[in-house]
Amino acid sequence: MACKKVGTTLGRALWQNGSWTPPLSRSSKIINFSTSRELKSGEKKCKDQSCESNCRSAAMPLPAACSSTPAAQRHQVGGKKGPEEPLTVSGRPYSSTAPKADQRTYLWARYNEMKRLVHDLIPPSVCNLLNSSTIYANNEVSLAEVDIYGFDYDYTLALYSDALNTMIYNTARDFLIEHFKYPEGIRKYDYIPNFAARGLHYDIQKGLLMKIDAFHYIQLGTVYRGLNPVPDEEVLRLYGGTHHVPLHQVSGFYGKGPKVKQFMDIFSIPEMTLLAVANDFFISNDIEYDPEHLYKDVSEAIGMVHIKGYMYKWIMQDLEKYILGGDETYAVLHRLVSHGKKLFLITNSPFSFVDKGMRYMVGKDWRDFFDVVIVQADKPHFFNDCVKPFRRLDGNGDLQWDKINSLDKGQIYKQGNLYDFLRLTGWRGSSVLYFGDHLYSDLADLMLRHGWRTGAIVPELDLETKVVNTEQYAQSLTWLQALTGLLERMQMHRDSQSREVLQDWLKEREELRLRTKNLFNPQFGSIFRTCHNPTYFSRRLCRFSDVYMASISCLLNYDLSYTFYPRRTPLQHEAPLWMDQLCTGCMKTPFLEEMAHIR
């Protein structure tokens, strides 16, 4: 595979050029791997100074990138290290121990050498392998062991067009003005399609929308008050000199506050946009207001769109405009049933809405695919308490009064709870795989409390995959990794000239981070990653889902006995073993070449 060859070559070159090195061993016994250069004593040693330093980690197996000789020819040597030999860069000899005549020239020579290496070894489109129809595994899952498939409805069986977000925003904005008596000037703000992103946090008391990483740190540069970014200095001041948000303030388990709210589902994107717009109006017009009141009112205005049934009415009146991928939904259900799998549906949406959408996507006999259908389930309460009993609906959607002693195929049930569901069906454990888009309401309790397999639907994967596959992203990210390694290696130089050079590199590193962030979303970047850490959303995704994918149609690309294996990505202390995988991360999933045939 071309990408593998590039990754291996780049890994070896980065190693030898000092872009990565483990801390030097304090042990008197060190392992030294040969680069086929004979010393007078008969020992073999890396003549390149940086490779020698990198090979000095005590008793640590290193990848082939650091040695081109067979394992049988590698010799262990002990005692003190010998004098370091000069390193030749751009035709000039330098020593890492002797003072440099011109540190600035030395460091920029190393920089230029690394940049040429990255430019030459990453040809255009070499890493264009990621496929948005791939299913990614956080945990090992064998479909051969799954007999029962469960589904949420909204953004799982039914995916919606962006036009729905615009309608939700416009209607909630009008509610805010007409029902809550907010200023008429807010109506001038149209919906901004690409402003907000899923997984963001909102500080209710401060009126700030932001992205937080897996370690509860705010990603500086992604904090917005209204529609304008908040300077880093002000963020630090607002949070007591740090950009860390304490655990008790981040949010409750379901992301609902009380001080910080996490917006975890796709329906929340119009809400975040309306919050930003309303804040911006008051700030721009110098009108004093209480951010907590604003949050509460916007939340209620958005809720009215759903409670009053506006969203359901829009979709039912124009199914073709709002619903995407209906044919693929039919194909998935038909394939599962034809292989003898049992299916069930648990959704918070009402029956009339679900029935109209499923008739459009699957056909009038859609209920024949499902063994159990439950509507208005009131998740997440359905999964974590046993208060509400099941109610049966007749064919017109009217409530019946009979006691529910079984859940029968062809019937429609309302409300209920998971404990009765398990008792009446006997479906338990890893034989059940449930798909949903909301990590908290759909998946968390099922994984943590009941041991079901869970699949997260993340439509954003489609766009993010397209970005990762661009040449601009591949080049920027590869150079960002190489430059970071160079900074790590060269930070030992403390003279004034070196410090100036390192500051220039740090500035360029920040510019590269900004460039890669803006490729996804100019305000908040990727929903999966901050500068170098996973996002809080990513952390929850990995914790609450066994597998994740852009849509359920991805199931069509896999045999129903297929086993999903999570890729063994490196822990920090394992990183030296992954030196051949620096090609913009594409080699972290070496199966992708085989999966490239997927649609």
Side-chain angles (χ1 to χ4, degrees), residues 217-218 220 232 234-246:
Y217 282 90
I218 301 167
L220 296 178
D232 295 347
E234 185 176 352
V235 173
L236 293 173
R237 179 180 60 79
L238 289 170
Y239 289 92
T242 178
H243 55 284
H244 180 266
V245 181

Side-chain angles (χ1 to χ4, degrees), residues 172-187 274-275 278-279 281-282 289-299 301:
R173 179 198 58 193
D174 293 344
F175 274 138
L176 202 62
I177 295 168
E178 296 163 9
H179 182 79
F180 294 94
K181 308 306 179 184
Y182 273 61
E184 183 67 28
I186 295 177
R187 207 186 300 270
L274 185 55
L275 276 168
N279 274 290
F281 173 82
F282 288 123
Y289 69 106
D290 189 323
E292 293 189 59
H293 295 332
L294 173 61
Y295 167 77
K296 180 177 178 294
D297 294 341
V298 168
S299 181

Side-chain angles (χ1 to χ4, degrees), residues 132-169:
S132 61
S133 295
T134 301
I135 294 177
Y136 299 97
N138 295 318
N139 194 16
E140 186 171 322
V141 176
S142 172
L143 293 184
E145 299 176 358
V146 177
D147 300 316
I148 303 117
Y149 287 77
F151 301 92
D152 180 33
Y153 179 72
D154 297 302
Y155 283 110
T156 301
L157 290 177
L159 297 180
Y160 300 119
S161 67
D162 291 338
L164 183 59
N165 285 340
T166 302
M167 293 294 289
I168 293 172
Y169 169 87

Side-chain angles (χ1 to χ4, degrees), residues 396-411:
N396 297 320
D398 296 325
L399 279 173
Q400 302 299 294
W401 303 99
D402 52 320
K403 181 177 176 62
I404 304 301
N405 295 312
S406 63
L407 298 176
D408 301 321
K409 186 179 179 69
Q411 299 296 315

Side-chain angles (χ1 to χ4, degrees), residues 7 35 62 83 166 204 536 557 583:
T35 58
L62 300 179
T166 302
I204 296 170
Y536 196 90
N557 302 308
C583 185

Side-chain angles (χ1 to χ4, degrees), residues 101-327:
D102 186 348
Q103 286 291 101
R104 182 180 289 105
T105 300
Y106 168 71
L107 293 176
W108 281 114
R110 297 297 295 270
Y111 170 97
N112 291 327
E113 182 182 5
M114 184 63 67
K115 196 150 195 176
R116 284 195 302 272
L117 182 70
V118 169
H119 181 270
D120 293 342
L121 293 184
I122 307 296
S125 303
V126 69
C127 292
N128 188 18
L129 289 174
L130 292 180
N131 193 309
S132 61
S133 295
T134 301
I135 294 177
Y136 299 97
N138 295 318
N139 194 16
E140 186 171 322
V141 176
S142 172
L143 293 184
E145 299 176 358
V146 177
D147 300 316
I148 303 117
Y149 287 77
F151 301 92
D152 180 33
Y153 179 72
D154 297 302
Y155 283 110
T156 301
L157 290 177
L159 297 180
Y160 300 119
S161 67
D162 291 338
L164 183 59
N165 285 340
T166 302
M167 293 294 289
I168 293 172
Y169 169 87
N170 288 339
T171 306
R173 179 198 58 193
D174 293 344
F175 274 138
L176 202 62
I177 295 168
E178 296 163 9
H179 182 79
F180 294 94
K181 308 306 179 184
Y182 273 61
E184 183 67 28
I186 295 177
R187 207 186 300 270
K188 298 178 181 178
Y189 289 82
D190 292 327
Y191 178 65
I192 309 171
N194 299 314
F195 177 76
R198 186 150 60 130
L200 299 178
H201 284 75
Y202 183 76
D203 191 314
I204 296 170
Q205 296 176 329
K206 297 181 177 67
L208 301 177
L209 190 63
M210 68 190 78
K211 186 162 75 170
I212 295 179
D213 73 11
F215 301 96
H216 300 179
Y217 282 90
I218 301 167
Q219 180 182 354
L220 296 178
T222 67
V223 181
Y224 275 72
R225 180 185 288 114
L227 300 175
N228 296 303
V230 180
D232 295 347
E233 299 77 14
E234 185 176 352
V235 173
L236 293 173
R237 179 180 60 79
L238 289 170
Y239 289 92
T242 178
H243 55 284
H244 180 266
V245 181
L247 175 63
H248 67 279
Q249 292 183 12
V250 171
S251 63
F253 179 78
Y254 294 103
K256 294 184 178 180
K259 294 183 178 179
V260 178
K261 158 80 173 180
Q262 186 182 18
F263 292 102
M264 191 58 90
D265 68 333
I266 301 173
F267 282 131
S268 65
I269 292 177
E271 182 175 355
M272 287 185 274
T273 307
L274 185 55
L275 276 168
V277 160
N279 274 290
D280 189 78
F281 173 82
F282 288 123
I283 294 168
S284 300
N285 290 278
D286 198 24
I287 300 173
E288 187 176 2
Y289 69 106
D290 189 323
E292 293 189 59
H293 295 332
L294 173 61
Y295 167 77
K296 180 177 178 294
D297 294 341
V298 168
S299 181
E300 289 189 18
I302 291 287
M304 290 172 71
V305 176
H306 297 276
I307 293 171
K308 290 180 176 293
Y310 286 94
M311 186 191 78
Y312 304 135
K313 182 179 67 174
W314 302 327
I315 295 173
M316 292 168 69
Q317 288 177 346
D318 198 343
L319 297 169
E320 187 174 352
K321 176 180 179 181
Y322 293 109
I323 293 183
L324 306 174
D327 292 340

Side-chain angles (χ1 to χ4, degrees), residues 500-515:
E500 289 178 4
V501 174
L502 294 174
Q503 284 300 313
D504 287 342
W505 293 358
L506 285 169
K507 182 179 179 181
E508 181 179 358
R509 181 169 176 255
E510 289 304 311
E511 292 171 351
L512 284 166
R513 284 178 163 180
L514 181 62
R515 187 184 308 164

